[in-house]
């Protein structure tokens, strides 16, 4: 049977196409209800055909998209997809059954129509948010909050967070003129992907006029919006997202307004520099998960959705990816938030001390136990226990922990009275626990007690779009800590950081930025030479490899001062593996010209 597989916020569900017309929208009367501000009350109609569906826009504010292009109607075949709001739909044919969660854990953003009376009031009757006017919301928000920002970095952090949440916003850079393209400074970037960063470098190199003209777009061959700030050497460079709904007119108006706000804010902050500022604490800063990556955003949404349940969670990923941040996010979004998070690193504590750290001990329980001490299990009761590097826990201790989880009680070392606990356990690991089970290094029964749901954090090298906002975030953090200001990064330094593979993930990037901030003088720009040798060597090696590949790919053309003969044409065709396009270029003729020549000379390609 045909069904629609729809995905939002990391959750996927199936809806069988059991009738000829299926309605989708935010209103409760639809067959499929999607609780999303960008979805209209009745968004699309799905007409079911024999081996396909016909999707029609039902007069929605934001429409639906096929291959990043907005469509009024579209025929969707088996295995093909379309998108409405943030929901991706795929037409499939097969088994419609699926694992069914209890209502407590069922994701609430989508639900099938139920036969019940619905009040006209409530959130489903709210006005649909239009992506065409979303920039107005952001403008009002910036105007409302701008006088509360005490540094330019604080403002840009707020702006980046706002713009990153707009679906398909595109990429935005604020650059400051330097001597030559390589010395141009990037003050901040929003959703800066590698391809747009490369395009930015081309623009800066080819069109230095963008720093002198108020509107430089008419002279550019690139799809961008560039605005210069009045009386400043700063330029906003914006790149449209492929298939973007936001109109150029609205974006241009928004960038003009933003340019004025930035200029006014720069002036205001300069006047307020000597005033006392309230510092953001490290705990507030560390609590944020900075990302532009879709997978990471889905993980954050999943984490928030399951936070209020008491299911135990395993968070796995390479060292330095931010597993503990996710654990703290889950705790903060749960009803356990008033209580504490208690963390224990199972790999950092010697085996003979780990048991006493976990379960605590009574006075006189062993030599040196001069006082009673509560264990992590007891301290975390009512809150959340985070077991870091759970894969390194000794087997004999795994048995004791399993019993404590099952019985909700345990005995401290030397104790005779059971201690009852109310626990929620979040385990962290950079190892494959299922592989450890096969190797008899981890108990399978404990695994199923600890892992009701698993979140896998992708490494930083698989989410390159997160590097620019992380650079901004940690630069701001360490500038505050060192009480200094940094103007930005040279283009070469920023490019080296963006293109590095970061095997140590976010933690390695954080350490790099910490070093960079400490080595840069107050008010200066971060230059390439300040970066660590590892990052610089990687950048130079990559550049040499790219130049080498470019040299190998360039074949000097054969220039014929006379018409080439049959043997010469055959020789060039063989050298190019009978590729007519490449051979035509080398012969300095068109593809069709070569085709006619081959037919006239009876040159027949070999049978494959």
């Amino acid at each position: 049977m045909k069904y629609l597989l729809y995905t939002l916020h990391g959750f996927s569900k199936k809806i069988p196409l059991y009738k000829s017309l299926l309605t989708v929208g935010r209103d409760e009367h639809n067959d499929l209800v999607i609780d999303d501000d960008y979805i209209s009350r009745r968004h699309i109609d799905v007409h079911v055909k024999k081996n396909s569906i016909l999707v029609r826009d039902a007069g929605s504010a934001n429409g639906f998209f096929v291959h990043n292009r907005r469509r009024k109607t579209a025929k969707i075949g088996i295995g093909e997809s379309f998108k409405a709001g943030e929901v991706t739909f795929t037409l499939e044919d097969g088994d419609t059954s699926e694992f069914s969660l209890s209502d407590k854990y069922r994701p609430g953003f989508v639900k099938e129509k139920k036969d019940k009376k619905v009040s006209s009031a409530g959130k489903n009757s709210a006005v649909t948010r239009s992506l065409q006017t979303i920039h107005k919301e952001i403008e009002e928000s910036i105007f409302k909050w701008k006088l509360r920002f005490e540094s330019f970095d604080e403002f840009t952090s707020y702006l980046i967070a706002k713009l990153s949440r707009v679906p398909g916003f595109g990429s935005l850079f604020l650059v400051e003129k330097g001597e030559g393209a390589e010395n141009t400074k990037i003050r901040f970037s929003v959703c800066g992907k590698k391809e747009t960063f490369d395009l930015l470098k081309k623009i800066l190199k080819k069109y230095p006029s963008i720093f002198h003209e108020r509107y430089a777009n008419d002279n550019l061959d690139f799809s961008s919006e560039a605005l210069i700030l009045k009386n400043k050497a700063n330029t906003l460079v914006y790149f449209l997202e492929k298939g973007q709904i936001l109109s150029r007119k609205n974006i241009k108006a928004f960038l003009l307004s933003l340019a004025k706000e930035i200029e006014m804010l720069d002036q205001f902050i300069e006047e307020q520099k000597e005033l006392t500022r309230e510092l953001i604490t490290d705990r507030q800063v560390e609590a944020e998960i900075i990302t532009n990556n879709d997978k990471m955003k889905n993980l954050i949404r999943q984490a928030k959705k399951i936070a209020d349940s008491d299911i135990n969670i395993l968070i796995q990923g390479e060292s330095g990816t931010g597993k503990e941040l996710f654990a703290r996010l889950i705790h903060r979004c749960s009803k356990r938030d008033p209580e504490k998070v208690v963390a224990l690193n199972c790999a950092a504590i010697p085996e003979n001390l780990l048991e006493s750290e976990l379960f605590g001990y009574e006075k006189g329980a062993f030599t040196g136990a001069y006082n009673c001490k509560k264990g992590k299990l007891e301290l975390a009761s009512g809150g959340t226990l985070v077991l870091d590097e759970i894969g390194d826990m000794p087997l004999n201790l795994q048995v004791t922990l399993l019993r404590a989880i099952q019985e909700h009680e345990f005995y401290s070392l030397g104790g005779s009275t059971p201690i009852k606990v109310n626990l929620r356990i979040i385990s962290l690991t950079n190892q494959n626990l299922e592989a450890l089970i096969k190797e008899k290094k981890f108990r399978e029964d404990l695994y199923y007690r600890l892992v009701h749901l698993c979140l896998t954090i992708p490494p930083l090298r698989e989410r390159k779009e997160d590097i620019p906002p992380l650079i901004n975030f940690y630069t701001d953090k360490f500038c505050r800590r060192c009480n200094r200001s940094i103007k930005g990064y040279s283009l070469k330094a920023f490019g080296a950081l963006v293109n590095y593979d970061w095997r140590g993930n976010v933690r390695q990037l954080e350490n790099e930025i910490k070093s960079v901030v400490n080595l840069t003088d107050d008010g200066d720009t971060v230059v390439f030479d300040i970066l660590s040798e590892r990052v610089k060597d990687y950048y130079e090696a990559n550049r040499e490899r790219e130049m080498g590949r470019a040299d190998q790919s360039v074949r000097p053309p054969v220039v014929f001062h006379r018409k080439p003969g049959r043997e010469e044409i055959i020789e060039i065709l063989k050298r190019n593996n009978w590729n007519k396009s490449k051979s035509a270029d080398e012969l300095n003729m068109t593809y069709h010209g070569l085709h006619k020549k081959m037919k006239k000379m009876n040159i027949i390609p070999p049978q494959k």
Side-chain angles (χ1 to χ4, degrees):
M1 183 177 184
K2 292 190 294 298
Y3 63 89
L4 274 180
L5 180 71
Y6 52 90
T7 304
L8 177 68
H9 299 170
F11 289 97
S12 294
K13 293 284 289 178
K14 299 176 183 178
I15 180 169
L17 300 178
Y18 52 86
K19 58 181 184 177
S20 60
L21 173 63
L22 191 78
T23 61
V24 179
R26 198 176 70 243
D27 191 86
E28 292 281 354
H29 294 94
N30 289 290
D31 297 297
L32 187 62
V33 181
I34 303 176
D35 185 12
D36 185 340
D37 289 345
Y38 297 111
I39 296 292
S40 298
R41 292 184 184 89
R42 182 165 175 176
H43 200 90
I44 55 171
D45 294 338
V46 178
H47 298 267
V48 181
K49 308 296 182 183
K50 186 176 180 181
N51 292 312
S52 63
I53 57 173
L54 184 67
V55 184
R56 293 185 186 275
D57 189 334
S60 66
N62 297 317
F64 74 96
F65 291 79
V66 179
H67 301 308
N68 292 320
R69 292 183 61 189
R70 185 168 181 171
R71 306 286 292 275
K72 286 288 185 184
T73 61
K75 183 180 179 181
I76 305 295
I78 303 296
E80 295 179 340
S81 301
F82 64 95
K83 191 169 183 178
E86 292 189 83
V87 187
T88 300
F89 297 86
T90 305
L91 179 63
E92 300 285 1
D93 192 7
D95 185 12
T96 59
S97 63
E98 61 184 344
F99 176 73
S100 180
L101 293 170
S102 68
D103 289 338
K104 184 177 180 181
Y105 303 133
R106 188 183 301 278
F109 50 83
V110 278
K111 50 186 175 182
E112 295 176 29
K113 177 181 176 182
K114 294 183 179 178
D115 295 326
K116 63 177 183 179
K117 293 182 179 180
V118 181
S119 168
S120 60
K123 63 184 177 182
N124 286 327
S125 63
V127 176
T128 304
R129 295 175 73 192
S130 172
L131 285 170
Q132 291 287 7
T133 58
I134 192 66
H135 62 285
K136 288 291 183 187
E137 293 182 28
I138 297 171
E139 277 185 58
E140 291 171 6
S141 175
I142 292 170
F143 181 78
K144 178 181 176 182
W145 289 94
K146 71 177 182 181
L147 296 182
R148 298 193 183 189
F149 300 122
E150 295 168 342
S151 73
F152 188 79
D153 291 331
E154 189 177 342
F155 163 73
T156 56
S157 295
Y158 176 83
L159 179 65
I160 290 165
K162 278 283 182 185
L163 295 179
S164 297
R165 295 190 188 105
V166 178
F169 172 75
S171 299
L172 178 67
F173 296 88
L174 179 67
V175 293
E176 182 177 316
K177 184 183 178 183
E179 294 182 7
E182 285 293 322
N183 294 319
T184 300
K185 305 157 190 173
I186 297 177
R187 296 192 71 182
F188 76 80
S189 63
V190 179
C191 304
K193 299 177 181 177
K194 184 182 184 299
E195 51 267 31
T196 54
F197 178 69
D198 291 341
L199 189 53
L200 173 68
K201 289 195 292 186
K202 289 181 182 179
I203 288 177
L204 295 175
K205 186 175 181 180
K206 190 173 181 180
Y207 301 102
S209 61
I210 68 169
F211 289 107
H212 307 294
E213 299 176 13
R214 182 71 175 172
Y215 303 99
N217 302 74
D218 297 337
N219 300 322
L220 301 186
D221 297 330
F222 300 93
S223 175
S224 68
E225 296 286 350
L227 300 172
I228 188 127
L229 306 186
K230 192 180 291 183
N231 300 323
K232 297 281 184 180
N234 294 324
T235 301
L236 280 169
V237 183
Y238 171 78
F239 298 98
L240 286 137
E241 188 81 2
K242 186 179 178 182
Q244 186 174 14
I245 331 177
L246 299 174
S247 71
R248 285 176 177 267
K249 182 180 177 181
N250 287 345
I251 281 291
K252 193 169 185 177
F254 170 64
L255 293 180
L256 268 170
S257 176
L258 179 60
K260 292 174 184 175
E261 295 293 345
I262 289 174
E263 188 173 355
M264 290 171 63
L265 185 69
D266 258 342
Q267 184 178 353
F268 173 76
I269 290 174
E270 190 68 29
E271 293 169 356
Q272 300 295 316
K273 253 186 178 180
E274 302 304 318
L275 298 178
T276 306
R277 65 179 62 183
E278 181 183 350
L279 294 175
I280 296 177
T281 65
D282 279 350
R283 188 183 184 280
Q284 287 173 301
V285 173
E286 295 290 351
E288 298 297 328
I289 299 175
I290 309 298
T291 185
N292 287 326
N293 180 266
D294 289 339
K295 287 184 180 179
M296 288 288 284
K297 288 178 181 178
N298 283 335
L299 286 172
I300 291 170
R301 292 177 186 126
Q302 285 188 50
K304 290 179 178 178
K305 284 185 178 295
I306 49 88
D308 249 347
S309 69
D310 275 334
I311 59 175
N312 293 331
I313 299 165
L314 173 69
I315 304 176
Q316 61 185 13
E318 295 179 8
S319 294
T321 49
K323 298 187 291 294
E324 189 173 341
L325 284 181
F326 270 89
R328 293 187 180 277
L329 172 67
I330 292 169
H331 176 79
R332 285 202 320 275
C333 295
S334 74
K335 57 194 174 188
R336 294 175 176 267
D337 187 34
E339 301 297 328
K340 63 178 72 174
V341 176
V342 178
L344 177 67
N345 190 320
C346 301
I349 301 172
E351 183 177 341
N352 59 334
L353 297 179
L354 188 57
E355 185 176 10
S356 62
E357 281 292 319
L358 195 57
F359 299 103
Y361 54 81
E362 301 296 322
K363 183 179 179 180
F366 51 83
T367 303
Y370 301 115
N371 296 295
C372 296
K373 181 183 177 180
K374 291 183 179 181
K376 301 294 187 184
L377 286 172
E378 186 176 358
L379 291 171
S381 184
T384 303
L385 176 65
V386 178
L387 295 177
D388 198 3
E389 304 299 347
I390 186 67
D392 290 318
M393 179 175 283
L395 278 169
N396 62 323
L397 197 54
Q398 292 179 28
V399 179
T400 316
L401 177 61
L402 174 63
R403 189 178 301 114
I405 296 172
Q406 288 174 333
E407 304 298 332
H408 301 290
E409 64 179 29
F410 64 93
Y411 292 89
S412 62
L413 298 183
S416 57
T417 304
I419 301 170
K420 293 192 176 292
V421 287
N422 171 17
L423 287 175
R424 202 267 184 86
I425 299 177
I426 301 178
S427 306
L428 315 179
T429 185
N430 60 7
Q431 303 181 70
N432 186 331
L433 292 189
E434 292 180 348
L436 293 180
I437 291 171
K438 291 178 181 179
E439 297 171 12
K440 306 296 183 184
K441 293 180 180 178
F442 198 87
R443 291 184 64 92
E444 188 173 13
D445 47 5
L446 177 60
Y447 176 85
Y448 290 115
R449 283 288 179 183
L450 290 175
V451 185
H452 298 151
L453 180 73
C454 180
L455 301 178
T456 302
I457 315 299
L460 190 55
R461 62 184 173 275
E462 292 179 8
R463 44 187 176 102
K464 289 280 190 179
E465 63 269 38
D466 282 351
I467 296 176
L470 285 168
I471 293 172
N472 292 328
F473 176 78
Y474 286 120
T475 302
D476 178 32
K477 172 185 172 180
F478 293 118
C479 280
R480 290 176 179 278
R481 188 173 291 180
C482 299
N483 193 26
R484 68 178 62 186
S485 173
I486 285 178
K487 284 187 176 179
Y489 288 76
S490 73
L491 205 60
K492 187 175 181 181
F494 197 80
L497 292 170
V498 167
N499 293 311
Y500 188 65
D501 67 348
W502 302 111
R503 292 288 162 176
N505 294 296
V506 180
R507 187 179 295 123
Q508 184 188 5
L509 175 61
E510 179 183 6
N511 291 336
E512 180 75 20
I513 302 303
K514 184 178 181 180
S515 171
V516 159
V517 170
N518 279 279
L519 290 172
T520 305
D521 292 332
D522 189 27
D524 276 1
T525 300
V526 177
V527 295
F528 180 76
D529 290 341
I530 288 178
L531 305 181
S532 66
E533 293 301 321
R534 184 176 296 177
V535 174
K536 288 190 290 187
D537 290 347
Y538 185 88
Y539 176 83
E540 297 294 354
N542 264 2
R543 191 168 67 170
E544 286 178 10
R545 280 197 296 270
E546 288 175 5
M547 290 174 66
R549 282 196 294 269
D551 290 343
Q552 291 173 12
S553 64
V554 176
R555 181 194 297 273
V558 179
V559 180
F560 289 93
H561 299 287
R562 56 179 176 78
K563 291 183 179 180
R566 186 174 188 276
E567 294 304 320
E568 291 168 315
I569 292 175
I570 292 174
E571 181 185 348
I572 290 171
L573 282 164
K574 285 181 179 178
R575 187 162 67 229
N576 288 303
N577 199 24
W578 290 88
N579 185 302
K580 292 180 185 178
S581 295
K582 291 181 180 178
S583 300
D585 288 340
E586 198 168 328
L587 289 161
N588 198 24
M589 63 175 64
T590 66
Y591 176 93
H592 294 293
L594 175 59
H595 183 74
K596 288 181 181 178
K597 184 77 73 174
M598 289 173 65
K599 190 174 182 180
K600 185 178 180 180
M601 293 182 173
N602 195 28
I603 300 174
I604 302 171
Q607 296 294 324
K608 294 184 179 179

